Amino acid sequence: ARIFENLNLLNFLDMRNNLLAVIPSDTFQSLNVLSLLQLSNNRLTSILPAWFRNLANLSIVNLNVNLITEVLPDTFVGTTRIGLINLNTNRISIIHDGAFRTLTNLQTLDLSNNLITSLNANFFAGFPNINDLRLNFNQIEEFPDGLFSPFQTIRFFEARGNRLRVVSRKYFGNLGILDFLRFDDNLIVAFDQRIMDEARMLRTFTFFGNICATGSLTSNPPVNLTPCFANYVAMGRLKVNFFNM
């Protein structure tokens, strides 16, 4: 018998801080009203799609601090209400197309502290409701044009600690309500000023630890960073940090 077979009213399941390396595929199948699944800080190396097959009410999934190496296609088929997925601090290097295909209500996705080097241009297609995306401390060198264009409500975006050299306006869609933007500790030499021109609600922008934070940009023509943001600072709306102080 499955361990949770008779707990069909269970709403919150916390199994973090164990040494779990394997969870059988049918473990959660009777938990029809489960809304939060907490599996952080274990030794899981994979996510089995069958885990989520009958979890129609699941809204929060925490899988941070494990040893997961990839996210398979259709991993979350069976649930459409998930609003938050935390995969921070794993060993993910591959995210297959369709991994998050059914998650049209996804709002927060944390893929920080993994081994991701690139993302397919259509990776975020079908996720218009994402408002919080964290890609910190991976090994990403560039984003394809249009990667984030499906986002209509993005407010919080972080891509710290990668290997980015250029940040282009072409990456993004609607920037009208963007509030928080971080590109610290990359190798950025050129930043598209149009991002700042259109992000009229931006309040926090951090940019320390980049090549252009030490002088003028090497783009053609050369652009000095400071004037790009001076008017925002003067208006008192934007907190800017070019240097790690």
Side-chain angles (χ1 to χ4, degrees):
R2 296 189 296 269
I3 187 172
F4 303 119
E5 187 169 11
N6 298 316
L7 302 180
N8 54 10
L9 297 179
L10 192 67
N11 182 260
F12 181 103
L13 179 58
D14 190 342
M15 300 173 67
R16 61 183 159 177
N17 300 325
N18 287 289
L19 300 175
L20 297 172
V22 176
I23 297 177
S25 61
D26 61 352
T27 298
F28 309 119
Q29 287 192 12
S30 62
L31 304 181
N32 299 323
V33 299
L34 189 70
S35 64
L36 188 151
L37 180 59
Q38 173 65 271
L39 295 171
S40 305
N41 200 19
N42 282 289
R43 295 182 177 178
L44 299 169
T45 59
S46 62
I47 309 171
L48 300 184
W51 288 351
F52 306 100
R53 188 168 297 154
N54 296 321
L55 304 185
N57 290 295
L58 191 64
S59 60
I60 298 175
V61 179
N62 284 319
L63 283 159
N64 51 304
V65 194
N66 277 283
L67 303 173
I68 298 164
T69 59
E70 64 179 331
V71 185
L72 298 171
D74 296 328
T75 290
F76 298 96
V77 166
T79 180
T80 60
R81 295 187 180 181
I82 294 178
L84 183 152
I85 297 176
N86 187 354
L87 289 164
N88 193 327
T89 314
N90 278 280
R91 298 178 180 177
I92 297 170
S93 60
I94 301 173
I95 303 177
H96 294 273
D97 289 347
F100 305 106
R101 181 171 58 87
T102 62
L103 302 181
T104 55
N105 292 307
L106 189 63
Q107 296 181 14
T108 300
L109 178 61
D110 192 346
L111 294 168
S112 302
N113 294 292
N114 281 287
L115 302 173
I116 300 167
T117 58
S118 63
L119 294 169
N120 185 288
N122 298 317
F123 182 83
F124 293 110
F127 306 118
N129 296 312
I130 285 186
N131 58 48
D132 185 342
L133 178 63
R134 308 184 189 202
L135 299 169
N136 302 315
F137 301 104
N138 280 283
Q139 300 173 14
I140 301 169
E141 296 185 1
E142 63 178 338
F143 295 128
D145 290 351
L147 177 63
F148 309 115
S149 60
F151 303 160
Q152 298 302 309
T153 59
I154 188 72
R155 298 190 63 180
F156 192 107
F157 183 92
E158 290 192 353
R160 296 181 290 148
N162 282 281
R163 299 174 180 175
L164 296 168
R165 294 184 59 81
V166 174
V167 179
S168 171
R169 174 63 183 88
K170 295 179 181 179
Y171 300 158
F172 299 95
N174 178 34
L175 294 172
I177 63 171
L178 184 66
D179 180 76
F180 191 99
L181 185 63
R182 297 199 69 171
F183 280 104
D184 326 337
D185 295 319
N186 278 279
L187 302 172
I188 296 169
V189 298
F191 193 100
D192 195 331
Q193 184 178 337
R194 290 174 296 178
I195 294 172
M196 312 311 292
D197 293 338
E198 297 179 32
R200 305 301 299 175
M201 300 298 292
L202 193 64
R203 294 179 182 272
T204 299
F205 176 79
T206 64
F207 199 73
F208 57 79
N210 282 287
I211 294 174
C212 57
T214 63
S216 62
L217 298 180
T218 58
S219 58
N220 187 20
V223 179
N224 191 300
L225 261 181
T226 304
C228 297
F229 310 112
N231 58 328
Y232 291 85
V233 178
M235 293 169 61
R237 293 197 303 107
L238 180 63
K239 174 186 175 184
V240 180
N241 187 0
F242 294 142
F243 306 98
N244 189 3
M245 293 189 261

